Amino acid sequence: APKRLSGIDVEEHLDRTLPLSLDFVDTSGRRAPLSRFVTGERPVIFTLNYSDCPMLCSLQLNALAGSLGKLDRKLGHDFDVVTVSLNPAETTERARETEARYRGEVASARDEAGSQEARGAGSAAAVAPGGWHFLTGSKANIEALAESLGIRYGYNEARKEYVHPAVLVLSTPSGRISRYLYGIEYQQKTLSLSLVEAAEGKIGTSVDRLILYCFHYDDSEGKYAPVAMNI
């Protein structure tokens, strides 16, 4: 690996309970402990990115927004997304711009999918206000969250940019780490089944549970694969 990627990695901490008392700031400038988003009601997708990232964050968040807009699960109702900025100097105003951008991306993807599905009930309400939260915080709290998630990142002084892996971390409604999804492409089926799994049966229909029974997560492929014996 290039020298600038030395030490950049993910150490999976499956079933670890997240530090819900960690304090951040939301895009309205209000105090935002993680416990405000992990409430025991629905799963949460966590990402660590930052607004002025030159490339990787945009690729990752664009792909996530596109997938979220096409899910039959409702953002802000069936699950939430929390993106914490890696940059402790990022301002609330800058985070607010980024939040508006990606909520818009989700809405655009929903509308595109809705051209075919809007006649049904699923796609029309795919986005609920406040479903994707962008937070800023102190260096100490960002590092504490990253350590808890198992995400190892760094700062390249010469390039003035943060170096980090592209990964989504899903937590259960109670705040335990359930699944890691890697890369800058997120298949709808994998994302949807990961949410069903993370929710421990608290969301989804009988059909969802049947599909989850027939598809198990394949670590080598990073996605859900059919289990012939179960089918």
Side-chain angles (χ1 to χ4, degrees):
K3 285 184 179 179
R4 64 192 299 261
L5 296 182
S6 177
I8 309 305
D9 201 359
V10 177
E11 180 183 348
E12 294 194 359
H13 292 165
L14 293 170
D15 207 34
R16 174 179 287 191
T17 299
L18 295 172
L20 302 184
S21 61
L22 282 179
D23 260 330
F24 295 93
V25 177
D26 68 15
T27 54
S28 69
R30 292 191 301 147
R31 175 177 171 264
L34 293 185
S35 57
R36 203 174 100 192
F37 312 102
V38 183
T39 63
E41 296 179 358
R42 51 186 179 257
V44 180
I45 298 173
F46 284 92
T47 84
L48 295 183
N49 300 97
Y50 68 109
S51 294
D52 295 323
C53 181
M55 183 175 291
L56 182 59
C57 293
S58 295
L59 292 173
Q60 181 184 358
L61 297 181
N62 285 341
L64 177 57
S67 293
L68 294 180
K70 296 171 186 174
L71 287 181
D72 55 355
R73 315 202 177 283
K74 300 175 186 176
L75 175 59
H77 182 268
D78 293 321
F79 67 98
D80 286 300
V81 180
V82 172
T83 294
V84 175
S85 176
L86 287 169
N87 182 5
E90 183 164 325
T91 66
T92 299
E93 292 74 18
R94 184 72 179 94
R96 187 184 304 128
E97 293 171 359
T98 306
E99 182 178 79
R101 171 187 172 183
Y102 285 108
R103 286 187 183 179
E105 293 278 350
V106 174
S108 295
R110 175 204 61 196
D111 291 342
E112 184 179 341
S115 64
Q116 298 176 351
E117 298 178 13
R119 288 182 290 276
S123 181
V127 180
W132 194 341
H133 314 275
F134 283 73
L135 309 180
T136 54
S138 67
K139 184 174 185 290
N141 284 359
I142 295 167
E143 288 177 347
L145 176 59
E147 192 283 327
S148 179
L149 294 172
I151 296 176
R152 297 175 182 169
Y153 70 98
Y155 183 70
N156 186 303
E157 194 68 51
R159 298 173 66 96
K160 304 296 183 188
E161 65 186 49
Y162 290 87
V163 189
H164 59 93
V167 59
L168 306 181
V169 185
L170 285 83
S171 86
T172 67
S174 64
R176 290 183 297 107
I177 295 174
S178 170
R179 174 71 65 216
Y180 290 78
L181 299 180
Y182 297 92
I184 54 174
E185 245 181 82
Y186 307 106
Q187 294 183 355
Q188 287 171 249
K189 181 181 73 176
T190 291
L191 195 53
S192 183
L193 291 178
S194 294
L195 286 167
V196 171
E197 194 173 62
E200 298 177 314
K202 292 185 175 64
I203 64 170
T205 65
S206 297
V207 173
D208 293 323
R209 295 188 184 93
L210 176 62
I211 292 172
L212 191 60
Y213 176 73
C214 296
F215 285 82
H216 286 187
Y217 188 79
D218 184 341
D219 289 307
S220 65
E221 293 289 332
K223 61 185 180 182
Y224 286 80
V227 182
M229 188 65 72
N230 284 355
I231 293 173

